[in-house]
Amino acid sequence: QVQLVESGGGLVQAGGSLSLSCAASGRTFSSYVIGWFRQAPGKEREFVAAIRWNTGTTYYAVSVKDRFTLSRDNAKSTVYLHMTTLKPEDTAVYYCAAGTPLTRYYSESLYPYWGQGTQVTVSS
């Protein structure tokens, strides 16, 4: 079993920055992908970014590329989502998830383990 705990959400002004953390526990994650998804009010959950634990390869949605950056700390089993130049449309509940997708890293159905989510609100 895998447990994921997100933290770091909050309220920030447009143009500001915020970093989210996803602490993982329960097993080794060398073969896992950690993905970040978000869900805005009234909208479906969407892919934000993902990182392969063993290689550090990252993937980003077009809407966040060049603004969001993923990093990981192996010793802490934690993945960080660094968000800059935030926009009001980035407002959502952000979830981290763990799975082993080989290709479709953007597909939430391939992630069996999910955190509880953390709210990010960007004011204009």
Side-chain angles (χ1 to χ4, degrees):
Q1 192 71 3
V2 174
Q3 293 83 40
L4 302 171
V5 179
E6 304 99 334
S7 61
L11 174 64
V12 63
Q13 287 189 329
S17 301
L18 203 61
S19 290
L20 305 182
S21 301
C22 175
S25 62
R27 62 185 303 164
T28 57
F29 299 97
S30 59
S31 62
Y32 273 73
V33 174
I34 303 296
W36 284 92
F37 294 79
R38 66 187 182 186
Q39 187 166 22
K43 295 187 177 181
E44 294 193 354
R45 191 155 54 187
E46 64 175 2
F47 169 77
V48 176
I51 183 168
R52 291 195 178 277
W53 198 280
N54 55 357
T55 64
T57 303
T58 55
Y59 311 92
Y60 298 95
V62 172
S63 60
V64 306
K65 191 172 177 59
D66 298 329
R67 298 190 300 123
F68 291 10
T69 304
L70 283 169
S71 64
R72 74 192 190 291
D73 184 329
N74 289 337
K76 296 182 178 180
S77 296
T78 299
V79 170
Y80 303 95
L81 179 66
H82 307 283
M83 306 183 293
T84 65
T85 320
L86 282 162
K87 306 174 181 180
E89 50 264 43
D90 293 318
T91 295
V93 176
Y94 283 70
Y95 300 88
C96 70
T100 55
L102 294 179
T103 53
R104 293 184 293 119
Y105 47 85
Y106 48 81
S107 176
E108 62 177 272
S109 65
L110 299 180
Y111 294 83
Y113 305 106
W114 291 78
Q116 81 287 354
T118 186
Q119 177 71 46
V120 172
T121 303
V122 184
S123 63
S124 57

